[in-house]
Amino acid sequence: DVAEAQMQTLASERILDGTIEAVNQATVSAQVSGRVEKLFFDVGDYVKKGAVLIQFRDREVQSQLKSAQAAFDEANKEYQRLKDVFAKKLIARAALDKAEARYKTTMAQLEQAREAQANTQIMAPYSGIVVKRQIEVGELAKLGQPLMTGLSLEALRVNVDVPQTMIASIQQHQKAHVILANGQRIAAASLTFNPYADPATHSFRIRVNLPQNDYELYPGMLTKVAFVTGETERLLVPIKAVARRSELTAVYVINDQGQVQFRQVRTGALFPEQQAIEILSGLSAGEKVLIDTVAAASRLKQQVQ
């Protein structure tokens, strides 16, 4: 397989260090008064969205729920019976209205009892890490009392301090990528610019907002951010076409007569999205390189022999 070295117009970037922080931090509070029966998580634990954080003692609430369910079942049965009787014109409308009112009242009471029962379990509003616990097992919590505080790992952003010489070009292009440790690049969802510079460092703080997802990133971590500052022409070849032999970096160039040459080159930036690498010197646009370096080496050896 042969590929042609081509000049392409690509974004020029400046890479800076940034610190990850959570966008959301929330404290869950008691929705009912009750005694804490069980704590499922503690400080430092990772919690998935919807997981039960705290269980309150619910015996009394369960009893109220059963009573409300029984009252509703009875009222519903009576209401349905009287609707059939009323349809046959055997009772007055007032009797049906009374049964309907009791049916609606017991239904509202049942919904309240179900909500009270649901409130005996405190659920995680989002996936994140518990950073503070304000309650112990056996304590009596009051309505509205703070119970646990957590950081969301679903919504993250990176704070970057940018020199004032770069701020104009970054504002013009409004594009950035967060670079993970494994080389993966995540396109920023948006950029938020501080409207003033730090008087001590003369730098502007930019918040690089990440799309909501689980990237295995945690608040406080350092990471790299690549900001688009303009466009530039780059000579690219496929990454697979570059051979590395000890400290030597080269490509196998093939001419129109089918002859292969092993030529040293100097490489630049990687472009994973295009599966390409920049060639800074040693190759010209339009020249053709062999992609399979193993097969190319074998062909060169046969050519020499």
Side-chain angles (χ1 to χ4, degrees):
D1 293 335
V2 176
E4 184 177 315
Q6 296 181 338
M7 295 296 298
Q8 294 189 28
T9 302
L10 298 170
S12 56
E13 298 178 331
R14 289 289 299 275
I15 298 177
L16 300 174
D17 291 325
T19 305
I20 297 168
E21 73 172 7
V23 176
N24 298 322
Q25 176 174 318
T27 298
V28 292
S29 303
Q31 301 300 307
V32 293
S33 296
R35 196 169 299 279
V36 175
E37 193 168 71
K38 191 171 184 180
L39 294 171
F40 292 92
F41 297 94
D42 205 345
V43 175
D45 289 344
Y46 174 75
V47 182
K48 288 189 176 182
K49 182 178 180 179
V52 179
L53 298 171
I54 300 170
Q55 174 68 57
F56 286 98
R57 187 172 297 171
D58 62 353
R59 295 177 184 83
E60 184 179 349
V61 174
Q62 289 285 3
S63 177
Q64 293 173 352
L65 178 59
K66 290 179 182 179
S67 177
Q69 183 69 58
F72 172 75
D73 291 342
E74 182 183 350
N76 182 41
K77 184 177 180 180
E78 179 66 9
Y79 176 52
Q80 300 301 329
R81 186 184 71 82
L82 290 182
K83 279 204 301 184
D84 293 339
V85 176
F86 179 76
K88 298 175 183 178
K89 300 182 180 181
L90 298 177
I91 60 171
R93 178 73 194 186
L96 180 62
D97 290 344
K98 184 178 179 180
E100 183 180 5
R102 183 167 179 266
Y103 162 78
K104 290 182 178 179
T105 300
T106 56
M107 182 169 63
Q109 292 172 344
L110 178 59
E111 289 176 354
Q112 290 178 352
R114 285 173 175 169
E115 184 176 356
Q117 193 275 332
N119 287 336
T120 61
Q121 289 186 331
I122 305 299
M123 307 286 193
Y126 46 68
S127 297
I129 297 174
V130 178
V131 296
K132 191 175 182 181
R133 176 166 59 83
Q134 297 101 322
I135 198 76
E136 298 286 346
V137 173
E139 283 191 39
L140 183 63
K142 297 179 180 179
L143 183 65
Q145 178 180 337
L147 303 174
M148 275 189 181
T149 302
L151 293 174
S152 170
L153 296 183
E154 293 179 348
L156 298 172
R157 62 190 175 203
V158 184
N159 288 324
V160 185
D161 292 324
V162 176
Q164 64 180 32
T165 54
M166 293 172 53
I167 196 68
S169 58
I170 293 175
Q171 284 180 322
Q172 178 184 352
H173 294 90
Q174 297 274 337
K175 290 182 180 179
H177 287 82
V178 175
I179 305 173
L180 304 186
N182 61 4
Q184 180 185 355
R185 293 165 64 95
I186 303 170
S190 62
L191 303 181
T192 304
F193 297 83
N194 267 16
Y196 56 88
D198 186 307
T201 63
H202 309 294
S203 61
F204 287 82
R205 173 153 292 190
I206 299 178
R207 288 177 175 171
V208 181
N209 302 302
L210 289 170
Q212 288 200 4
N213 206 336
D214 186 1
Y215 302 107
E216 296 185 357
L217 297 174
Y218 300 94
M221 290 177 62
L222 288 175
T223 190
K224 300 286 186 182
V225 180
F227 292 99
V228 174
T229 56
E231 291 183 339
T232 185
E233 292 283 325
R234 299 175 188 266
L235 181 64
L236 301 184
V237 297
I239 295 174
K240 293 181 178 180
V242 177
R244 301 188 186 277
R245 305 286 186 267
S246 186
E247 297 180 358
L248 178 66
T249 302
V251 293
Y252 291 90
V253 183
I254 184 169
N255 61 21
D256 293 337
Q257 288 73 41
Q259 293 183 323
V260 179
Q261 177 189 4
F262 187 62
R263 188 183 302 174
Q264 183 177 1
V265 294
R266 187 162 64 93
T267 58
L270 279 171
F271 296 90
E273 294 179 0
Q274 290 95 342
Q275 291 294 303
I277 187 170
E278 180 184 14
I279 301 297
L280 299 176
S281 63
L283 195 65
S284 301
E287 289 191 288
K288 296 177 181 178
V289 296
L290 293 170
I291 297 176
D292 188 340
T293 57
V294 176
S298 176
R299 181 168 176 175
L300 179 61
K301 185 177 180 181
Q302 293 175 359
Q303 179 180 299
V304 172
Q305 292 175 347

